[in-house]
Amino acid sequence: MMFAVAIIAVFIAMALVLVRLVGGPTLYDRVIAVNSFGTHTVLLIGLMGFLTERPDFLDIALLYALINFVGTIAILKFFRYRAIGDKRPVEDGGEQ
Amino acid sequence: MVIEVISWAFMLSGSFFVIIGAVGTLRFPDFWARLHAVSITDSAGVILLFAGMCMQAGLTLITVKLIIIGVFLFITGPTATHAVANAALVSGLRPKEAEGFTGVEPEPLTKTDADPASSEQR
């Protein structure tokens, strides 16, 4: 029963973070919203695993945590690298 | 029975912190304050919820898996937050009240060797 309460709480938190994801003015607001949504998904998978008495969900949760972290760093690296490319003066831009 | 009550208390407080973090992410004025709010769910919410689940599972393989996930999230949460903060600062996003920002300016973005990836291609 308590897992159901926690799952509802995580759903509410996911909805709020989605609002920030859509409304986030800067790019980095969206990046932390995506990162937070991923962490909420990890929690949700873990809680669902407990709710339905299926311990193998926790492997999925661990995998999701790994991928979420790598995804966040990849997004940052992509935008930072391209941001560098855009701002560079033209004669130096050939390195794209 | 006592374990049940304690784990329920952990689960309740964990879900409370998850919601508080999400509300903070929504309502804080600028990016830097929201960064703090997000890391509340990453640290307090995750640890309390996982502690509650560990108690429910008792000393089994499930608890080991939970601890592994908890340690991993405990390490990567702040790392990801630091990476986002660093990327935002370098790209020129300043906190609102720091308009007259007299601190040490990070190296300008256009300097080529600022990013190891770009210097590799040389």
Side-chain angles (χ1 to χ4, degrees):
Chain A
M1 198 278 294
M2 185 48 66
F3 293 119
V5 169
I7 283 175
I8 290 166
V10 171
F11 268 132
I12 294 169
M14 275 174 154
L16 294 174
V17 164
L18 272 184
V19 172
R20 170 54 50 202
L21 181 70
V22 170
T26 64
L27 155 74
Y28 300 102
D29 289 317
R30 293 196 170 95
V31 169
I32 56 172
V34 166
N35 186 18
S36 178
F37 193 84
T39 315
H40 287 128
T41 314
V42 170
L43 290 173
L44 193 67
I45 296 172
L47 289 167
M48 287 303 280
F50 267 85
L51 191 71
T52 55
E53 277 93 26
R54 292 186 54 185
D56 42 20
F57 270 31
L58 291 176
D59 307 335
I60 303 170
L62 176 62
L63 193 61
Y64 201 92
L66 295 166
I67 294 177
N68 178 40
F69 176 63
V70 170
T72 305
I73 301 298
I75 292 173
L76 287 175
K77 181 148 179 47
F78 170 72
F79 277 106
R80 179 185 164 94
Y81 185 71
R82 198 198 62 183
I84 287 184
D86 289 347
K87 289 207 174 64
R88 185 130 357 111
V90 174
E91 74 282 356
D92 198 357
E95 185 243 0
Q96 279 306 75
Chain B
M1 187 50 200
V2 176
I3 293 288
E4 293 285 326
V5 172
I6 294 175
S7 75
W8 281 1
F10 270 119
M11 301 276 285
L12 266 183
S13 53
S15 44
F16 171 72
F17 274 111
V18 165
I19 291 186
I20 287 295
V23 166
T25 311
L26 202 58
R27 283 181 54 83
F28 276 165
D30 67 343
F31 164 74
W32 301 98
R34 282 180 211 128
L35 202 56
H36 166 68
V38 163
S39 57
I40 287 182
T41 54
D42 270 357
S43 50
V46 163
I47 288 175
L48 285 172
L49 273 175
F50 275 13
M53 284 196 264
C54 278
M55 290 199 183
Q56 287 283 348
L59 290 176
T60 59
L61 183 61
I62 298 172
T63 307
V64 172
K65 284 183 190 171
L66 277 170
I67 288 169
I68 291 171
I69 299 178
V71 165
F72 180 76
L73 282 178
F74 190 72
I75 292 171
T76 54
T79 314
T81 308
H82 170 72
V84 174
N86 181 34
L89 188 69
V90 164
S91 78
L93 195 66
R94 289 290 178 270
K96 203 176 284 180
E97 61 278 358
E99 283 316 320
F101 182 56
T102 54
V104 176
E105 282 293 322
E107 75 283 355
L109 199 57
T110 52
K111 197 153 62 109
T112 48
D113 51 13
D115 178 30
S118 63
S119 56
E120 274 150 15
Q121 269 85 26
R122 282 291 130 82

